[in-house]
Amino acid sequence: MRVIASLAVFLACGLPAAAETVLSEASGNWAGTSGDGFTFLARLLQNEDMARLVIWGGNPGSLAVAEGEPQFDNPVIAIGAFATKQALEVVETGDGSTLQIVTEYADEEGTGRIVTEVQFLDNQFTVVGYHHTGEPAGRAFACEVDLWNMTAVEDGETRVLEPVEFEALNASDWTWDAAYERGFCHRAE
């Protein structure tokens, strides 16, 4: 019996650390309700204080599976600290599917909800929308960004955003605070 226990300890020490915790999983078809496009399987994983988004692709007519190298992997796409809910949701229309990363949070300064929207367009995982509502320090705020039309609505005021190159909306380098760093939203003062 001691040999088995010793072997178990030895093997456990030689294996890599436990896998990241899966927070949410979603699957769908990038073509939306028509079902004629590439399929996907997305997982949102806990990555210390961040949330990691990993997406595997499948061919039309076959389900995507979590095997081999993923098509997409961004380890800091959403904030994980203070999250009370983190989920992936798929919104399907006749024009296509949108993968939403939903984060609800509460910390010592307030509460809020962040939704980052991603679509697969022209062989790129593209951020097409960002929505952040909250109540820090008892003051309500909202920032709704439509990257298709390059507009932002903050606290009821609409503004036109400077046009950016398509590649600038690549979800590969989108971080939890990219909307603020890129000037799409302004931080509450």
Side-chain angles (χ1 to χ4, degrees):
M1 189 60 142
R2 286 187 182 166
V3 173
I4 294 174
S6 297
L7 181 60
V9 170
F10 175 77
L11 289 175
C13 291
L15 295 174
E20 295 170 311
T21 302
V22 176
L23 301 169
S24 183
E25 186 173 282
S27 60
N29 189 304
W30 289 118
T33 55
S34 73
D36 295 333
F38 292 99
T39 60
F40 65 91
L41 171 65
R43 284 190 180 151
L44 193 63
L45 306 165
Q46 187 70 43
N47 184 26
E48 296 180 5
D49 286 346
M50 307 307 268
R52 168 185 227 130
L53 179 63
V54 182
I55 303 173
W56 290 269
N59 291 318
S62 66
L63 295 176
V65 293
E67 293 178 355
E69 288 294 313
Q71 283 184 314
F72 180 85
D73 186 357
N74 182 332
V76 294
I77 199 162
I79 189 105
F82 307 109
T84 58
K85 173 186 176 182
Q86 292 204 275
L88 294 175
E89 297 176 3
V90 178
V91 177
E92 291 185 332
T93 66
D95 294 330
S97 290
T98 301
L99 178 65
Q100 296 182 332
I101 305 163
V102 178
T103 303
E104 293 178 2
Y105 64 90
D107 62 19
E108 63 276 355
E109 294 182 18
T111 61
R113 176 182 167 93
I114 301 170
V115 178
T116 303
E117 298 177 330
V118 176
Q119 290 183 337
F120 187 64
L121 304 168
D122 295 333
N123 294 318
Q124 174 179 289
F125 293 92
T126 306
V127 177
V128 296
Y130 178 83
H131 314 279
H132 188 179
T133 57
E135 233 179 86
R139 181 186 165 271
F141 82 96
C143 181
E144 305 285 326
V145 180
D146 177 349
L147 294 169
W148 269 120
N149 296 307
M150 292 308 290
T151 59
V153 179
E154 284 185 280
D155 299 324
E157 305 254 341
T158 302
R159 78 189 151 92
V160 176
L161 303 170
E162 290 292 321
V164 297
E165 298 288 326
F166 179 69
E167 293 79 23
L169 301 178
N170 191 322
S172 294
D173 66 355
W174 188 268
T175 63
W176 64 275
D177 66 345
Y180 294 93
E181 294 297 318
R182 297 176 187 190
F184 301 149
C185 295
H186 296 98
R187 297 194 192 282
E189 307 255 342

